[in-house]
Amino acid sequence: MTRIFFVSGKNGEFDQFIESLPEEWNNSLGTCSTREFGLSIVKNNDVDVVVVGSELRDCDSLDFAKELMKEYPLVNCAMVSDLGHDEFHEVTEGYGLFMQLPPNPGAEDASKMIELYQSITGLMSA
C-alpha cells in the first residue's frame, strides 16, 4: 500500500486526482492547507508520496516543498506548478521533487504520477 498525502490551500484542487487513485493508494492522511500541519503529518506518519498544491494558506508552495525535502529527503514529492518545464526544473533542481503536475491535476495526471513513482521505486528495490 502506498500512502499519499496532499498539501494545498486551494479547496478542491485535488478532487479529480484523488478520485482516480487506485485502491492500493491509501489517501487516508487526507489534505492539509498549512506548512506546520503538513510537516507534522510527514514527521508523525509513514508517508510515501507528498503532493504539494499550487498554493498553501501560510507559505509559498515551492518554499514548503524545499523545506519538506530538506527535512525528509526519502519522501517522494510532486508539486503543482504552472511554470514551464525548464523553468520548473531550474527552480527545483537539487531538491528531489520527482514530478511537476499541472494546475488542477486530474485522472490522467494521477496515472502518470503513479507510473513514474512505480518506475522510481522499482529502480530503488532492484
Side-chain angles (χ1 to χ4, degrees):
M1 174 109 11
T2 302
R3 295 196 72 186
I4 186 168
F5 175 58
F6 297 89
V7 183
S8 175
K10 188 176 175 184
N11 288 336
E13 182 170 29
F14 293 115
D15 288 352
Q16 291 179 350
F17 189 94
I18 291 169
E19 286 176 19
S20 66
L21 290 173
E23 197 172 295
E24 64 270 11
W25 280 68
N26 178 343
N27 68 336
S28 63
L29 295 170
T31 304
C32 84
S33 62
T34 63
R35 177 196 152 279
E36 184 177 344
F37 191 51
L39 293 174
S40 73
I41 291 291
V42 175
K43 178 181 179 181
N44 296 307
N45 295 276
D46 290 328
V47 179
D48 299 303
V49 178
V50 174
V51 181
V52 181
S54 59
E55 58 187 60
L56 275 70
R57 293 211 174 130
D58 60 351
C59 75
D60 180 75
S61 295
L62 182 57
D63 291 339
F64 174 80
K66 288 177 179 180
E67 183 175 359
L68 173 74
M69 297 313 296
K70 282 181 184 177
E71 290 188 40
Y72 306 98
L74 298 180
V75 171
N76 294 280
C77 183
M79 189 177 99
V80 172
S81 175
D82 59 2
L83 295 174
H85 174 77
D86 292 341
E87 188 177 357
F88 180 80
H89 178 73
E90 183 73 27
V91 299
T92 62
E93 188 171 12
Y95 289 101
L97 277 72
F98 80 100
M99 184 174 187
Q100 176 184 7
L101 293 166
N104 301 307
E108 185 178 319
D109 304 304
S111 294
K112 287 178 186 176
M113 188 200 73
I114 290 167
E115 186 177 311
L116 181 57
Y117 174 78
Q118 289 173 335
S119 70
I120 291 168
T121 57
L123 288 173
M124 292 175 69
S125 63

